[in-house]
Structures are given as structure tokens and as C-alpha cells.
Amino acid sequence: MKDKIIKKRIVKIKTQKGNKLSLLILSNKNNSGYAPGILWIHGGGYFTGMKEMVYMSRALNLVKKYNAVVISPGYRLSLFHPYPKALEDCYEALLYMFYHCDELKILKNQIMVGGESAGGGLAIALVMLARDKKEVNIAYQMPLYPMIDNFDTSSSVNNHGKVWNTRRNHFGWKLYLRKRAKEEVEPYASPARQKDYSNLPRAYTFVCDQEPFYDETITYINNLQKAGISAKVDIYPSNIHAFDMLYPSKEISKQAIKKFEEEFEYALKNFFADNK
């Protein structure tokens, strides 16, 4: 995808476990100073998708309009690499961002994480992992309509919505967790299993009221709020999962995009993390 103000580069790194990981890095050619760094994780039910999906995501405008540096990791997919491979890759990408802040011209106190659907689920698992490991402090999380509950909820059971539904959801979790798909797994595997929401980053998300991930999204935001974390969710009337990516010209998508960017602007001015 060509864009006059977007600078694109691919970096290939070797992880601590010796695996190869490809990172797509986007920055604004017109920006010469330091900027917020965003690890944006693509969706696809954990078993499909690619790092280039960032071009149709909410993250692209954050590069164009707010000079953000966005890193999209080409994490291993669950068809051949079940949990925890994808999360391991995303954490390696986060460490790369953190240790290359000066080279990438990223503000060390504004490292953020976001993604959509399964990418939103990985974003949430990642902020939980980062909190517990205490190597990188994340300033803000943007997990859009995240896939985070391996158990059926009232909105994901018997759901026949467009794009994503109960059958696909069961298939996605079975590939990701294999024999543990319906078990009480650790929160890094299924973030809805988390019991401790303290000290997680501030959050914003949006979701449709008729899609499978409605209940788990609302529950996640409520749990953050109960733990004293600033967290917001906007709800839109639709049964189209990832409507903002698939139909960006629809009025509902324009509303969601506008509000997302307003919340991001607020985060830029108010949310920081202590990283040394």
C-alpha cells in the first residue's frame, strides 16, 4: 500500500528462544521528533491474518494524524503454533520496541498496545504479562472488540452475526488452546480468566451490541473500572464484527473512528508510564 507520508520498513529479529519474527514498522515521514510507540496486533481468530492488516486498522491514522510509530508483529498463527507462541512473539515485539526507543524515536513513557479481535485479545494478554514481568510499563491499551473468553458468554453462544459467530469462535479457541479450549486456563491464554486487574494500563475500546464479543468486552472494562483503572467502552448497534475495518465509509464506522481518535488524543495528553 502506497502512502506519501507513511514510511514503511520490515525488521526481522531473532527471539530469545531462537525463532525468527518479522515486524512491520510504520512511521510518519513528516515527523522528526519523538512520538508515541504503538504495538498494534492484527486479528484473525488467532489462526489467520497477517501483519499487513495494520493498513486497514485504526492504527494507520494514528501514524498519519498523530505521528505515532506503529509496529505490527507477524506473530505465529495457531494453525501450526498454538498458545503460547503468538503471545511470546508479541512480547518479543514489545521488548524490541522498548529497547530500540531511541532508534525508533519512540517516547519511552508512551508505549501503547492495541489490536482488533484476536489481536485485541493478545493485546490484553500482553498488558497482563508485561505487568507481571515488570520489564516494560505500558501507558495505554486499545483492545478493540477483543476475543478474550474461551467459555461461551450470553452474547457468544448461539450467535449468528456477520463475519464472526459461535461456530467460528469455537473453532478459533480450539486451534489456539487445543485440548484446553474449554478448560479453566491461565489468564495469558484466555484473559477473561484473570482475577487480578490491578495496575493494568488505562483502556479504551468499542464493540457492537449483537456480535459475539460484546459480553466479554463489557466485562473486561467493568473489571478494570472495579480495580480503579480508567477504562471506557463505546457500544454500537450492529451484528457486524470489525465493522469499522470492513465498512469504513458507513456512518456507524465514521462515528466509531471519530470517537476512537478523540480518546487517543486524550491519552496522548494525559496517560504516561514510568519507564527507565
Side-chain angles (χ1 to χ4, degrees), residues 62-78:
L62 303 187
V63 180
K64 292 181 179 180
K65 298 176 67 172
Y66 305 101
N67 298 321
V69 177
V70 168
I71 295 181
S72 177
Y75 62 85
R76 285 170 289 176
L77 301 174
S78 64

